[in-house]
C-alpha cells in the first residue's frame, strides 16, 4: 500500500476472513463484517483484525555552500566568506548509489531537500566547482562547520524524526560545505638602472600575489634562480625567513585572497667575465601542507627556463643585458674622459674616477 503524499496522522488498516458462501454450517463465532471505522479489538468475533499506523510528516534538510577564505572550516560572515552559487548537490539513499534528488545552490549559496522520510539515512554529495577544494570538515560548532568530506564531498545524514518539511527553513539546517580556491602569482621587476657591465650590482624585486578568493596557508615560499654569471649577495623581505644558500624566502603568515605579499629584494653582482643577455627567474609556491592552486605551478622552473612560455603564472623572469667595458687607450683630456665613461655607462655624473691603465693607476677628473 502507498500512503498518500502529504498525509500526516493515524491510520488503521482493517481486515477480516469469512466462510465460503455455499458453506451450510455456520462458524462457532459468527463474523460481524467490520468497516474501516470498526475497532476490531472490541468486537465479539475473532474473524477480523486491525493494524494501526502512525504517519509522520516528511522532513527537510539543507544549508549553505561558501568560500572558506580563512581556512578555519567555519562559515563566517558573507562579507568575508561569500556564498557560492550554482554548486550541484545530490541526495542519495543510504547505499550511496541510488540517486534520490539533485539540486543546485541559489544566489545566496542555499540549497534544500524536502520530502525525506523521518529517521532515514541518506548521503548528501556536494560537487565542487573546477579549481576548488573542500575545506577541513567538522571543525568547531556543528551549526556552522563544513560537513563535506575533503576528498569525496560526501556526508552521511540521518533525517530528523519530525518537522515541517519546509524548503526555505529546513528541519535540519546544518548540512553544508566550505570551499577553498586560491592562486599564487609572482611579478619580478628590475630595480636597478642600466646599462650593466661586468662587476655591476643589480637589484631585483619579487612581488607575490594571491588571486584568492581563499587564503593561502602560511609557509608559502618564493625562490630566486639567477643565471650563470649573476651571483646573489643578499635576499630579504619583511615577514619572510630568507636563506641565502638556497635563495628561498618562506612566508611566516598566510596570504589573504586578493592581496600582495611583502616585496622581496634580491641583490646580485655580475661576474667579471659575464657578457650578453641573461634572465633572472623566480617562482612562488604554496605551503607543503596546502592544497593545489587553481593554476598549479607544476615542475618548478630552472634558471634557464623561459617563463613566458609556461602555462602557469607562478613564475616570472627579468632579462639583464651585460655590456662590456670599452677597451683601448683613454683620452687625455678631462672632458673626453667624461664623455667616454658616460657613454659606456661606467659613471652617471661628474666626479673623480680612478682608472687602471697599463699596470699603473692614474687619477682623472671627470
Amino acid at each position: 500500500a502507498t500512503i498518500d503524499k502529504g498525509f500526516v496522522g493515524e491510520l488503521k488498516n482493517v481486515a477480516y476472513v469469512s466462510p465460503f458462501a455455499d458453506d451450510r454450517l455456520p462458524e462457532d463465532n459468527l463474523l460481524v463484517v467490520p468497516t474501516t471505522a470498526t475497532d476490531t479489538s472490541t468486537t465479539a468475533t475473532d474473524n477480523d483484525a486491525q493494524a494501526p499506523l502512525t504517519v509522520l510528516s516528511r522532513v527537510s534538510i539543507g544549508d549553505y555552500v561558501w568560500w572558506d577564505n580563512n581556512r578555519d572550516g567555519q562559515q563566517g560572515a558573507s562579507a568575508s566568506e561569500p556564498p557560492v552559487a550554482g554548486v550541484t548537490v545530490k541526495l542519495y539513499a543510504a547505499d550511496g548509489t541510488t540517486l534520490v534528488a539533485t539540486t543546485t545552490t541559489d544566489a545566496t549559496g542555499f540549497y534544500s531537500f524536502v520530502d525525506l522520510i523521518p529517521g532515514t539515512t541518506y548521503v548528501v554529495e556536494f560537487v565542487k566547482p573546477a579549481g576548488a577544494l573542500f575545506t577541513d570538515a567538522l571543525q568547531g560548532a556543528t551549526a556552522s562547520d563544513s560537513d563535506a568530506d575533503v576528498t569525496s564531498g560526501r556526508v552521511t545524514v540521518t533525517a530528523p524524526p519530525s518537522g515541517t518539511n519546509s524548503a526555505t527553513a529546513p528541519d535540519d539546517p546544518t548540512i553544508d560545505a566550505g570551499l577553498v580556491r586560491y592562486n599564487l602569482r609572482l611579478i619580478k621587476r628590475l630595480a636597478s638602472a642600466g646599462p650593466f657591465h661586468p662587476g655591476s650590482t643589480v637589484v631585483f624585486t619579487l612581488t607575490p600575489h594571491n588571486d584568492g578568493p581563499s587564503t593561502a596557508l602560511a609557509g608559502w615560499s618564493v625562490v630566486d634562480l639567477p643565471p650563470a654569471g649573476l651571483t646573489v649577495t643578499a635576499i630579504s623581505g619583511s615577514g619572510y625567513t630568507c636563506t641565502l644558500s638556497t635563495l628561498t624566502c618562506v612566508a611566516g603568515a598566510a596570504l589573504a585572497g586578493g592581496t600582495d605579499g611583502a616585496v622581496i629584494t634580491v641583490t646580485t653582482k655580475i661576474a667579471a667575465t659575464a657578457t650578453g643577455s641573461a634572465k633572472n627567474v623566480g617562482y612562488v609556491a604554496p605551503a607543503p601542507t596546502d592544497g593545489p592552486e587553481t593554476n598549479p605551478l607544476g615542475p618548478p622552473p630552472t634558471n634557464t627556463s623561459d617563463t613566458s612560455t609556461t602555462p602557469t603564472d607562478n613564475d616570472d623572469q627579468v632579462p639583464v643585458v651585460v655590456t662590456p667595458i670599452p677597451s683601448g687607450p683613454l683620452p687625455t683630456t678631462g672632458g673626453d674622459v667624461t664623455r667616454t665613461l658616460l657613454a659606456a655607462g661606467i659613471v652617471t655624473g661628474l666626479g673623480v674616477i680612478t682608472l687602471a691603465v697599463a699596470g699603473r693607476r692614474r687619477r682623472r677628473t671627470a
Side-chain angles (χ1 to χ4, degrees):
T2 301
I3 301 172
D4 291 341
K5 188 174 181 180
F7 179 88
V8 178
E10 298 294 328
L11 288 174
K12 182 175 58 178
N13 190 11
V14 178
Y16 65 91
V17 59
S18 61
F20 182 54
D22 291 340
D23 200 333
R24 297 186 181 187
L25 297 175
E27 300 176 82
D28 292 338
N29 189 347
L30 296 177
L31 169 69
V32 177
V33 178
T35 68
T36 55
T38 301
D39 182 358
T40 64
S41 66
T42 64
T43 60
T45 181
D46 55 3
N47 302 55
D48 52 16
Q50 63 189 27
L53 177 66
T54 300
V55 181
L56 301 176
S57 169
R58 294 297 180 106
V59 293
S60 59
I61 63 173
D63 208 358
Y64 292 87
V65 178
W66 81 97
W67 291 117
D68 186 23
N69 290 343
N70 64 3
R71 312 293 284 278
D72 66 352
Q74 284 280 313
Q75 183 180 2
S78 60
S80 59
E81 297 195 327
V84 187
V87 174
T88 298
V89 188
K90 298 180 179 181
L91 182 70
Y92 292 90
D95 60 9
T97 58
T98 304
L99 185 63
V100 176
T102 301
T103 188
T104 56
T105 56
D106 63 16
T108 68
F110 176 79
Y111 81 96
S112 66
F113 290 112
V114 297
D115 295 329
L116 277 63
I117 301 172
T120 301
T121 299
Y122 295 92
V123 175
V124 176
E125 179 184 10
F126 298 91
V127 182
K128 63 186 178 184
L133 304 170
F134 291 107
T135 191
D136 292 338
L138 308 177
Q139 303 295 306
T142 301
S144 53
D145 68 341
S146 178
D147 297 285
D149 179 80
V150 294
T151 302
S152 66
R154 290 188 165 201
V155 55
T156 299
V157 177
T158 300
S162 61
T164 61
N165 200 28
S166 171
T168 56
D171 300 311
D172 182 351
T174 66
I175 312 303
D176 49 9
L179 296 172
V180 174
R181 187 171 66 194
Y182 74 105
N183 185 60
L184 295 172
R185 292 190 286 113
L186 183 69
I187 298 176
K188 191 165 192 176
R189 294 287 184 264
L190 185 62
S192 299
F196 302 108
H197 305 281
S200 294
T201 295
V202 186
V203 178
F204 301 90
T205 61
L206 292 80
T207 305
H209 180 85
N210 178 16
D211 289 339
S214 304
T215 301
L217 295 180
W220 56 272
S221 58
V222 176
V223 179
D224 189 71
L225 299 170
L230 200 64
T231 301
V232 176
T233 58
I235 181 170
S236 63
S238 177
Y240 301 94
T241 299
C242 295
T243 305
L244 184 60
S245 61
T246 60
L247 302 182
T248 301
C249 290
V250 180
L255 183 59
T259 64
D260 287 340
V263 174
I264 295 172
T265 301
V266 177
T267 304
T268 66
K269 187 170 184 177
I270 300 175
T273 57
T275 59
S277 178
K279 58 179 179 293
N280 191 8
V281 177
Y283 67 90
V284 57
T289 56
D290 213 341
E293 304 168 77
T294 304
N295 188 355
L297 174 65
T302 67
N303 64 350
T304 60
S305 298
D306 182 1
T307 65
S308 66
T309 63
T310 59
T312 180
D313 49 9
N314 301 51
D315 48 20
D316 201 7
Q317 63 191 27
V318 174
V320 176
V321 178
V322 181
T323 304
I325 298 175
S327 59
L330 293 173
T332 56
T333 62
D336 290 339
V337 170
T338 299
R339 284 190 296 273
T340 300
L341 297 180
L342 284 172
I346 299 175
V347 297
T348 57
L350 297 180
V352 177
I353 303 171
T354 301
L355 303 172
V357 180
R360 294 179 300 138
R361 304 188 74 81
R362 295 193 297 174
R363 185 178 177 85
R364 299 293 188 199
T365 299

